[in-house]
Structure formats: C-alpha cells, structure tokens
Amino acid sequence: MQIIRSMTQLTEQIYLWKQARFTIGFVPTMGNLHAGHLQLVDTAKSLTDKIIVSIFVNPLQFGINEDFANYPRTESEDIAQLIDAKVDAVFLPTIDSLYPHSIKTYIRLPELESLHCGQFRPGHFSGVATIVSKLFHLVQADIAVFGEKDFQQLTIIRAMVQDLNFAVKIVSVPTIREIDGLAMSSRNRYLTINQRPIAAQLYQQLQFIRQQILNGERHYLQLEQQVTLKLSEAGFIVDYIHICCQQHLQPASIEDTELVILAAAKLGQCRLIDNICLKIQTLKVDSD
Ligand code: AMP
C-alpha cells in the first residue's frame, strides 16, 4: 500500500492510475478506523480497480468547544487495517498542506446545512462540504463511498455533487452496528463502561418509532416527543429526534412515503447520531 503524505505524491499517483485507465474508488475518513469504515472500503473494492482512503481530522468541521484536539488519532493501527484490507493507497495530508493559508472559499448549502445537526453544530456541514470538495478535486475518483450512518452528511454531499457537477458517483453503505445495535463510531470510545449498554437505547428507540409508523401511527410530533422523554429518562441529553422525508430532510408530512428518522443525543461526553430509513404506503382514502 502506498502511504501518501504530500500533495505532489498524490498527484503523481493519481496521474499514473489515470494513465493506466484504472478506475478509482475513494473513501474519505477521519481515521480511528472500525468495521464501518472497512465496509466502505469493501464496497469501493467491489466497484473500482484502485482504492484510496484518506485520513484527515478536518479542523474546519469542528466547532470551538468540540473535540478536535481529543479526536482519536490512531495512524499506525489504521494503516495496518488498510494493508489487511488490501487498499492501494492511503492519503494522510497535514493540516498545513490542505490549508496553507486561511481559506477564503467555503461550500455552503443553506437549505440543508442548518437543519438537524447543523442547528447544534453551526458551520459543521460547510466544513465537511468544503474539505470533501477539495479532496474530490485532488483524488479525481470515479466513485466515492460514504456511510448512511451520517445521513445528513450523505444528503449534503449528494446535493453538492449534483449542483456543482462533480464527476464522481456517490455510493452509500448501510450503517454497521455493534451486536446490541449501537452504530459503530470512532466517538463511541468516549462512552464509559456504564454508559455503553445505555447507548444502544438510541437505536432501540429509533426502531420503536419505525414500528409505530409501520403500525399506522402518523402523529409524528407526538412520537418524537414520546421518545425524547424516554431517552431523557434513560440519561441522554437529546439534541433532536426528527421524522423527516428522506429527500429534503424536512419534517415528514402525511403524504411522504420515504422517511428517515434522524437522531442525535449526548450521553456523558459522547454525542451519538443515528438514523433509520423506512418506506410506507400512503393511507388510502375511499372516494365513492
Ligand atoms: P468518519 O471517519 O467518522 O468521518 O467517517 C468516514 C466515513 O465512514 C463516513 O462516510 C461515515 O458515514 C462512514 N461511517 C462511519 N461510521 C459508520 C458505520 N458505523 N457504518 C457505516 N459507515 C460508517
């Protein structure tokens, strides 16, 4: 596996792959890799000739009181996992190489970036979209793979690619979970031993909402409030539980059939996010 640290080295490698007409699959990450990331790698491998993974903890997407300084950085373990996974190259840029001066250009998606997590993390999605667009320009991949775990992020990346005509196909991968349902995440290591079993309740409550909707419940606001209360009683500080239409991430109406239940909640030092997608039938109205 090529370990690429400089921009020049990256450009040369991409040039060689393009010249040889290899297709390129790209998996952007912040490192501290787990089975969720490796699933993205496997998906990329099934679709393209060469796979490149980036590991970069992007300062632009962290707020001032967030965990940028403490975000888990485990470079040698990550490299070992990527070698095992038969990845062709890992790109490990420095902050100075990607942001040699304070940047003046930011990608903004006003309709999407201020919803849900954006309300609690102002500037976060602009930081994500900006770094992803920079990486897309550098890597020139045919496909890029993202996790459905970060559903709002995925929606934002898809919108950016469509609006700005990036020549990359976005592929998504379902969330990989621990046995009790907790979505795998690098931030799960912030959970204490006592918090760890409680953390699984977030997914259990999303499943509860899903089941209620499938049973015909359409009082979405009530469901959101009911589950917020249950999670608060279990010790979570709930940022939001939102039942939305999958396409625009707006509050679901009775006519919407493709839904996503989005959630973010803090348990101690750990902010968990999760979601479940579901399809429902519209309620039939007899008109005779
Ligand atoms: P991160 O390193 O957390 O920025 O995540 C890098 C990529 O891995 C993003 O596309 C995430 O959505 C994806 N990802 C993170 N956790 C999971 C998971 N449990 N299952 C599937 N994909 C994931």
Side-chain angles (χ1 to χ4, degrees), residues 28-30 34 36-37 40 71 146-147 150 153 174-176 184:
T29 80
M30 297 205 298
H34 51 66
H37 296 112
L40 308 193
Y71 195 84
F146 289 84
D150 298 278
Q153 169 175 287
T175 303
I176 304 298
M184 287 192 184

Side-chain angles (χ1 to χ4, degrees), residues 14 27 41 95 108 122 128 134 151 160 182 199 218 249 253:
I14 299 296
V27 181
V41 167
I95 295 181
R108 303 289 312 267
V128 170
K134 280 166 76 75
F151 196 86
M160 177 184 84
L182 175 67
R218 294 293 180 272
L249 306 188
S253 74

Side-chain angles (χ1 to χ4, degrees), residues 27-82:
V27 181
T29 80
M30 297 205 298
N32 191 238
L33 303 180
H34 51 66
H37 296 112
L38 296 178
Q39 188 63 42
L40 308 193
V41 167
D42 280 352
T43 302
K45 279 177 66 178
S46 70
L47 296 171
T48 54
D49 301 322
K50 296 289 176 187
I51 308 304
I52 179 163
V53 174
S54 65
I55 298 179
F56 181 61
V57 184
N58 172 34
L60 216 59
Q61 70 190 64
F62 286 78
I64 34 171
N65 294 320
E66 292 184 354
D67 57 343
F68 175 71
N70 301 327
Y71 195 84
R73 289 163 173 87
T74 50
E75 185 182 296
S76 38
E77 291 91 333
D78 291 351
I79 289 175
Q81 290 197 67
L82 294 176

Side-chain angles (χ1 to χ4, degrees), residues 101-287:
H101 41 72
S102 67
I103 61 164
K104 297 169 189 66
T105 310
Y106 294 85
I107 305 282
R108 303 289 312 267
L109 295 94
E111 279 173 34
L112 290 170
E113 71 174 56
S114 54
L115 305 171
H116 315 301
C117 275
Q119 277 194 324
F120 297 86
R121 306 187 68 190
H124 168 68
F125 287 115
S126 177
V128 170
T130 304
I131 188 63
V132 170
S133 73
K134 280 166 76 75
L135 292 169
F136 280 177
H137 286 305
L138 291 165
V139 175
Q140 297 175 52
D142 296 274
I143 67 148
V145 188
F146 289 84
E148 290 167 17
K149 150 126 192 319
D150 298 278
F151 196 86
Q152 188 175 5
Q153 169 175 287
L154 176 64
T155 306
I156 280 174
I157 300 299
R158 283 193 195 284
M160 177 184 84
V161 163
Q162 190 177 28
D163 292 348
L164 300 182
N165 302 93
F166 278 88
V168 63
K169 182 175 179 228
I170 303 301
V171 173
S172 72
V173 170
T175 303
I176 304 298
R177 300 179 179 281
E178 304 286 356
I179 289 169
D180 63 359
L182 175 67
M184 287 192 184
S185 165
S186 307
R187 288 192 167 100
N188 290 351
R189 62 169 55 197
Y190 300 151
L191 294 167
T192 64
I193 293 178
N194 292 338
Q195 288 162 351
R196 174 58 193 82
I198 301 172
Q201 291 187 30
L202 183 63
Y203 181 57
Q204 287 156 13
Q205 289 305 321
L206 292 184
Q207 281 186 311
F208 167 78
I209 295 180
R210 175 180 174 276
Q211 197 51 54
Q212 293 294 104
I213 297 174
L214 290 176
N215 292 347
E217 179 60 78
R218 294 293 180 272
H219 294 102
Y220 295 147
L221 203 59
Q222 269 176 32
L223 266 180
E224 291 171 3
Q225 286 167 350
Q226 187 186 348
V227 163
T228 299
L229 188 65
K230 276 201 264 181
L231 288 170
S232 305
E233 282 167 2
F236 289 85
I237 295 173
V238 178
D239 279 353
Y240 62 84
I241 306 284
H242 289 159
I243 303 167
C244 300
C245 77
Q246 260 180 51
Q247 211 189 346
H248 305 291
L249 306 188
Q250 291 293 331
S253 74
I254 209 83
E255 284 87 29
D256 288 315
T257 54
E258 298 196 348
L259 307 183
V260 57
I261 313 156
L262 299 166
K266 288 189 217 77
L267 193 55
Q269 299 298 307
C270 187
R271 185 172 187 272
L272 302 165
I273 62 167
D274 205 346
N275 67 83
I276 291 187
C277 290
L278 73 154
K279 272 191 188 171
I280 53 171
Q281 309 284 325
T282 44
L283 295 176
K284 281 208 187 94
V285 181
D286 290 335
S287 55

